[in-house]
Amino acid sequence: MTKSLILSFLLLLFLPTLAQEQPDTAFQHLRERYLKLYNEPNREAEFFEVSEKMKAYYQEQGNLDSYYKVRINEALYDSERGYNYRAIKKANSTLEDMKKDGIKQYQVVYTVLGSIFDSRGNYRMADKYYREALDNANLKDTGSVISIYSRLADLKSTREPKEAWKWNELFGSMVRNNASFYNVYLILKGQICFFMEDKRKFATAYKELLDHRRKYPKVNDYGLKSMELMHEVFEGNLDNVLAIIRSDTLQPDNLNQLDIRIKAYQILGLEKLAMREVEKRRDLRDSLNSDMLFNNINEINAELGIAKLNEQASKEREMWLAAVIVLLLTGLGLLIWRHLTRRAYQKRLQKKNQELEIALDHAKESDRMKTLFIEHVSHEIRTPLNIITGFAQVITNSSYEVDEASRNRMISDISKNTNQITEIVNELLELADGESKEYYDRNDIVDVNLTCQQLMSNLEKENNGRLTLSFKSLLNKRHTIKTNQQVLEKILIQLLNNALKFTEEGSVELSVRERAGNGGTEFSVTDTGRGISKENQDKVFERFYKEDSFKQGFGLGLTLCLKSARLLGGTLELDKKYDKGARFVLTLPSV
């Protein structure tokens, strides 16, 4: 409801400083043109041309504060027009340069980053950056502080209205003498009361707003129609509510407006209409996240196109392959999540009205998982793509003198990171394949001891003497089982690689034995690494769970292992009694 108005605070708060800076008439004309172009659509090229002149002027004057404000406004300008990758890149670049030059207004950059994620419905990231902004803000800088308070209040109004009330009261206490900002405070206050379902407090806020607007008739009327809608909801006037919703004054493609509609229908007991709005909100958020991810990819591809690859034709093919893989990965990921959630979501729609609260909780969880998936994809592909881009530009730029050894090393790194992206795609394909599989063929006669010895021999090549590797068998020399050898080896390789990855010193042991009473053949992988904390032991087989979030990977390895073990007719468990590292136990039928 108030988000568009609040997003304009950042630019507006800079204007007094700009207005007080220079009496230079030519510069004042330039500044006026700059402010006009900022709010005019389809004049992007002209805006950035004038912005460059503004930055050059401030650099010449040695006014770094204003120079960085113009750079921050460029990031906000890009964000408001959907160029989120470019906006985030500019904001991070500005932050780094500000730190180098000793300009400590970091809170402004963090506020812009929070606004970018806020506009795409990413609650967690928006909250993170707004709090970073608050931590870095100087409480004497009134403009920055009221901007952060208002954004936090608006962000939390629909999910955590009690906390939103606290931030909004802080905001309101600082803007009592500013009619426009106090109008925003009253609108936020009403919205928060609405989501707390506090009719008495809302009525007080609504009366304050009407009195304020009578006193200041020239105040912008943005948000007034939403307040009227909330008022009619509390009064139980269904016809008036529907008339306002159907009018052109409310934006149907706005996440905040959809939240208000959902709450309105809930209060009025119209569960089916509420669920329809929930579906609209989910689809809109999917669309925003997809647009953001595809814009990121398009920006990355545009950067790749800047380099003129005149040498190493094979490297050019690798670069294009990387771009195609990213596109396929994005499309595949969205299709997988669409498939996994669609059926469950349709079933929830058919439940009785009294189960609405449960259905809404599941919808929110689905949003969280999809956001987590997109964040995982972005995180895992960013580093290899940056390496590929950087080395390709060095190799193909004639101004760099690169010796043959360095060139070969860069080519090797490009190939290695291309393979890494390929492995990510394979892991996602394997997850999708595992979701649809009901069984594996189990017709291979596997020599258990021989297979385990070969796996440990291959593991030693990667270990290179760093840890003590050992294989212990309590089986007969020619003990065999009937299973799928390829799937068995995949499970053991994943468990052994995990043990190697998370063990700094000590040993990794693979042991096999036969359980009593034809209980099957047991494979144990034991390490002396960091182990898994007790509070997280029940999460190790969940999708995307990682004990160490800085380690590479999606957190799908153990999930796939558990699925494969069950399809082989066996089990895979974490030995919770072992406390000197980690031990995973795979049990398969002997016959």
Side-chain angles (χ1 to χ4, degrees), residues 311-312 395 401-412:
E311 301 177 5
Q312 303 294 333
I395 290 173
E401 294 183 3
V402 182
D403 58 57
E404 191 62 26
S406 297
R407 182 184 299 274
N408 290 337
R409 179 178 59 80
M410 292 179 188
I411 291 172
S412 175

Side-chain angles (χ1 to χ4, degrees), residues 157-168:
S157 62
T158 61
R159 293 192 180 200
E160 302 175 83
K162 290 184 179 179
E163 185 176 349
W165 180 275
K166 177 189 71 174
W167 294 116
N168 196 48

Side-chain angles (χ1 to χ4, degrees), residues 367-378:
D367 280 346
R368 186 189 71 81
M369 290 296 291
K370 281 181 280 187
T371 299
L372 186 62
F373 173 78
I374 291 173
E375 289 175 0
H376 270 85
V377 171
S378 300

Side-chain angles (χ1 to χ4, degrees), residues 81-86 120 288-301:
R81 283 152 184 82
Y83 303 121
N84 292 289
Y85 173 83
R86 196 162 71 192
R120 317 310 281 184
L288 292 173
N289 283 329
S290 298
D291 289 346
M292 184 173 182
L293 193 53
F294 277 110
N295 285 338
N296 290 355
I297 293 170
N298 290 335
E299 292 287 346
I300 292 171
N301 288 338

Side-chain angles (χ1 to χ4, degrees), residues 301-320:
N301 288 338
E303 291 177 1
L304 294 177
I306 295 173
K308 296 180 180 179
L309 305 180
N310 297 319
E311 301 177 5
Q312 303 294 333
S314 61
K315 298 293 126 352
E316 181 179 7
R317 289 194 297 272
E318 289 180 359
M319 292 292 290
W320 281 108

Side-chain angles (χ1 to χ4, degrees), residues 304 317-327 385 388 418 421:
L304 294 177
R317 289 194 297 272
E318 289 180 359
M319 292 292 290
W320 281 108
L321 177 61
V324 171
I325 288 173
V326 173
L327 289 171
L385 277 179
I388 292 171
T418 301
I421 295 177

Side-chain angles (χ1 to χ4, degrees), residues 456-470:
M456 293 303 289
S457 177
N458 292 335
L459 188 67
E460 182 57 55
K461 295 176 183 178
E462 185 176 349
N463 177 50
N464 197 24
R466 182 172 65 86
L467 303 174
T468 301
L469 304 185
S470 61

